[in-house]
Amino acid sequence: MSHRTEEIPQNEEEQNEQNEQEGQEGQEGQEGQAQDPATGRRPGGPAKASSARPRPARSWAEVRHLLVRLHFYAGVLVAPFLLVAALTGLAYTLTPQLDRLVYGDQLRVDRVGDEVRPLAEQIAAARAAYPEGTLASVITPPGPEDTTRVVLAVPELGENQRTVFVDPYTAEVRGELTTWFGSTPLTTWLDDLHRNLHLGETGRLYSEVAASWLWVAVVGGLVLWLGRARGLRARSARGVLLPDRTAKGVRRTRSWHAATGVWLALGLLFLSATGLTWSNYGGERFGRLLDAANGNAPALDTALPGADAPAEDHSEHAGHGGSGGASADADPADFDAALAAARGAGLGGIVEVTPPADAASAWVVAQTDNTWPVHYDRVAVDTTSGEITSRTRWADHPALNKLSKLGVQGHMGVLFGVVNQIVLALIALGLTAVIVWGYRMWWQRRPTRGDRPAPVGKAPERGAWRRIPLPALVLGIPAVAALGWALPVLGVTLAGFLVVDAVVGAVHRRRTA
C-alpha cells in the first residue's frame, strides 16, 4: 500500500501544504480561511462586523491547534539552546578517548608488572615529588594498565585538586594534573562548556532552558505526529516510524523531522529528566523531593567506637577535599591497612581510600565503579584494629536515589561504557538534524508571491486557547502552574513567551484595526 499523503488531505493545514507543492500560496490560503477572533477580520482582508460570524464553538480539536503553536514557538525560540546543548554534549561523549590520547603518559603505565607496590610506597613517591598540600585520598587503578591516583588538597587551587599519577608496579611518578572531582583538565573544560558555556552560574541558565523545554518539545511533537497519523488512511506504523520518501517540499522535510523525533523520543526524554536533576533551579526542587521521600543515599557512620562526638560523614565527598581539612598527612601505612580491611569485607574493583577528618573519625573506603553493574558500597574502617565499624550497601539505597545516580552516569556516557557513548552521540546527531529540519520547514512555508514575500513562514494562528473546552482550561491552568513551580526556568520562560505573544498580538490588532 502506498504511503503517499498528498492525495488525501484531511484538514485545512494539509490542504494548504498540498497547495504549496502545486506552486500555490498555501500560507496565504490558510490566512484567507482563518479569522482572527479578536478583530473579526481575515488577515489581509476587510473588517467584518462582529455579528457577521458567531464566536467559534469550543472544541477539543482546538487543543491540537494550541499544541501546534506551542511546539512552533518552542522550536523557533528554544531550538538554539538545544542545538548548543547537542553539539557540546556530542563533544563531551568523546572525553574518555580524548583523555587517553592527551594524557596517556599520566593515565597509563609503560608495562604491566607482576606485583603491585604497597600504597604507602606509592604515596611516598608522590609526596617526594609534590610535597605541597595534604593527602585528600588515593584511588586504586581502574585496570592493570592504569596508574594509581594520589589526590592532594592544595589551598591555592580552590575547588580543584592536584592529582599525582603513580605507576603501581614501580612506584614511579608519571606526572600530575589539576583535576576537578577526578576529571582531567580537558574533561573539565568540555564539561563546563556543556553545562554553562564557561559563563559560570549565569551560563547554567542556558542548559536548564534546554533541559526544561526538551521534554515539552518531544511530547508535543509526538502528540501532533501520532494524532496526525490517525487522521490519514494511508498512514501505518511504517508511516509513523519511517520518513515518506515520496513526499515533496515541506511535507518531505516534516516527515524526516517527525520520524527521526519518534526514534529519538525515549533518549531525549531521558536526557531532559536527568539533566534537570542536577540543574540549578529544577535540581533544587528535585533535592527537596528526595528529602521529602527519604530518597537520599544512606549516611555512613564514621564515628569510631567510644568517640566523644559523632563524626560527620565525608564519604560522599571523597576525592574532593575528603581529608576534612586536616593540616598534616595521615600515615601512608594506614592507607594500606584501610584498603586491606575493605578488600577483606568484599569491596572489589576501583576504590577510593579517604583519611579521617579527625582523631574521632574512621577511614572511609568507597567503591567508585560507575560502569554497569555499578559498585557503590562504602565502609568505615578503624585502622588501629582493622575492623569495619560501619557499612552502607548499594542494594540498600532508596529506589529514587538509585535512579538518580544511574541516570547521571548514563547522561555522562559512562554507565555502559563505549555503547553508552555511541548511543549518546547518535542522539546528539539526531537532535541536531531534527532542529535543522525544523528550521527548514519554517523557511519552506514562507509566502513566495511577488507582492507579499517573506523570509520565513508565519506562526500558527493565535487564540486557540479561547476555543478549547472549559474542562481543559480548568485542569490545564493549575497543571501548568504546578509545572512552572517544579521547573522554575520553564515557568519563567513560558510566561515570557506568553507576554511577548500577547504584545505582538496587540500590535497586530492595532495595525489592522
Side-chain angles (χ1 to χ4, degrees):
M1 179 179 294
S2 172
H3 296 284
R4 290 182 60 93
T5 55
E6 290 90 335
E7 300 175 0
I8 48 172
Q10 298 295 311
N11 51 42
E12 174 187 336
E13 178 188 7
E14 296 198 11
Q15 180 65 61
N16 289 335
E17 289 171 0
Q18 181 173 336
N19 291 341
E20 290 174 351
Q21 305 310 312
E22 297 171 355
Q24 300 180 22
E25 189 54 57
Q27 180 68 35
E28 294 192 13
Q30 184 178 21
E31 293 175 4
Q33 297 178 33
Q35 175 178 318
D36 191 327
T39 62
R41 75 166 51 183
R42 294 175 179 175
K48 290 188 177 182
S50 59
S51 59
R53 178 179 295 181
R55 184 183 183 89
R58 295 183 180 274
S59 168
W60 286 99
E62 295 300 329
V63 175
R64 184 181 188 279
H65 295 159
L66 184 63
L67 283 177
V68 169
R69 189 168 178 83
L70 178 64
H71 191 71
F72 171 82
Y73 274 112
V76 171
L77 301 178
V78 182
F81 297 91
L82 295 175
L83 182 60
V84 172
L87 295 177
T88 57
L90 176 63
Y92 186 83
T93 63
L94 303 175
T95 51
Q97 288 73 28
L98 292 175
D99 276 347
R100 292 191 178 277
L101 179 64
V102 177
Y103 307 114
D105 291 342
Q106 291 93 336
L107 300 177
R108 308 296 292 272
V109 300
D110 288 334
R111 185 179 64 85
V112 177
D114 298 326
E115 186 177 351
V116 173
R117 299 290 182 88
L119 288 182
E121 189 175 338
Q122 299 180 55
I123 292 170
R127 297 303 279 149
Y130 301 95
E132 67 277 7
T134 57
L135 272 171
S137 64
V138 174
I139 304 173
T140 61
E145 297 180 349
D146 298 312
T147 53
T148 301
R149 302 187 182 194
V150 179
V151 184
L152 307 177
V154 181
E156 291 79 9
L157 297 179
E159 282 193 343
N160 296 323
Q161 297 172 305
R162 174 161 293 130
T163 298
V164 183
F165 300 86
V166 182
D167 187 325
Y169 306 105
T170 65
E172 174 193 358
V173 174
R174 304 282 299 173
E176 62 84 27
L177 293 172
T178 298
T179 57
W180 183 75
F181 282 96
S183 297
T184 66
L186 177 58
T187 295
T188 301
W189 191 90
L190 289 173
D191 178 63
D192 282 341
L193 180 67
H194 181 60
R195 288 192 309 131
N196 57 38
L197 302 179
H198 296 284
L199 298 176
E201 289 300 311
T202 302
R204 291 185 67 182
L205 287 172
Y206 118 82
S207 58
E208 189 160 358
V209 167
S212 297
W213 278 93
L214 178 57
W215 71 270
V216 177
V218 171
V219 172
L222 284 175
V223 171
L224 293 174
W225 184 241
L226 296 177
R228 183 186 189 89
R230 286 198 302 269
L232 299 176
R233 296 190 303 273
R235 198 57 81 86
S236 63
R238 178 183 176 86
V240 172
L241 298 175
L242 298 177
D244 184 359
R245 296 176 179 271
T246 64
K248 304 294 183 181
V250 67
R251 295 176 65 80
R252 181 182 179 89
T253 305
R254 186 182 60 223
S255 178
W256 280 97
H257 172 87
T260 305
V262 171
W263 283 99
L264 297 177
L266 284 180
L268 294 176
L269 291 175
F270 168 80
L271 292 177
S272 177
T274 52
L276 286 170
T277 59
W278 79 87
S279 63
N280 200 0
Y281 298 99
E284 187 269 338
R285 297 286 199 268
F286 181 73
R288 291 189 193 179
L289 174 62
L290 287 179
D291 293 339
N294 294 321
N296 291 301
L300 181 69
D301 182 6
T302 58
L304 290 173
D308 294 334
E312 182 181 356
D313 178 10
H314 294 279
S315 58
E316 285 295 309
H317 308 287
H320 197 74
S323 58
S327 58
D329 283 350
D331 185 351
D334 284 340
F335 281 86
D336 287 298
L339 179 61
R343 294 300 193 201
L347 268 69
I350 313 169
V351 296
E352 185 163 12
V353 184
T354 306
D358 50 51
S361 302
W363 287 67
V364 173
V365 182
Q367 291 178 316
T368 59
D369 189 354
N370 295 318
T371 304
W372 186 264
V374 299
H375 297 96
Y376 293 133
D377 286 8
R378 297 175 292 157
V379 294
V381 181
D382 182 354
T383 56
T384 303
S385 63
E387 295 181 357
I388 303 297
T389 61
S390 180
R391 178 168 187 160
T392 62
R393 292 175 172 82
W394 170 244
D396 298 329
H397 284 226
L400 194 57
N401 178 265
K402 286 183 177 180
L403 290 174
S404 174
K405 193 168 183 66
L406 293 177
V408 168
Q409 300 306 324
H411 190 114
M412 296 175 66
V414 300
L415 185 59
F416 300 108
V418 175
V419 173
N420 202 158
Q421 292 178 259
I422 293 173
V423 170
L424 289 180
L426 291 175
I427 292 175
L429 291 172
L431 177 58
T432 301
V434 167
I435 292 170
V436 171
W437 283 322
Y439 279 115
R440 178 170 171 78
M441 283 191 293
W442 190 27
W443 178 79
Q444 286 177 314
R445 298 193 61 169
R446 71 198 187 284
T448 56
R449 274 178 40 179
D451 57 336
R452 302 185 65 184
V456 292
K458 292 184 178 295
E461 180 188 2
R462 62 167 48 89
W465 68 272
R466 299 188 185 95
R467 302 187 296 274
I468 66 176
L470 288 177
L473 285 177
V474 172
L475 296 176
I477 292 177
V480 171
L483 275 175
W485 177 88
L487 304 175
V489 171
L490 174 65
V492 171
T493 51
L494 176 59
F497 292 167
L498 294 176
V499 169
V500 170
D501 193 44
V503 171
V504 171
V507 171
H508 175 74
R509 288 192 295 270
R510 176 166 296 187
R511 287 179 177 177
T512 57

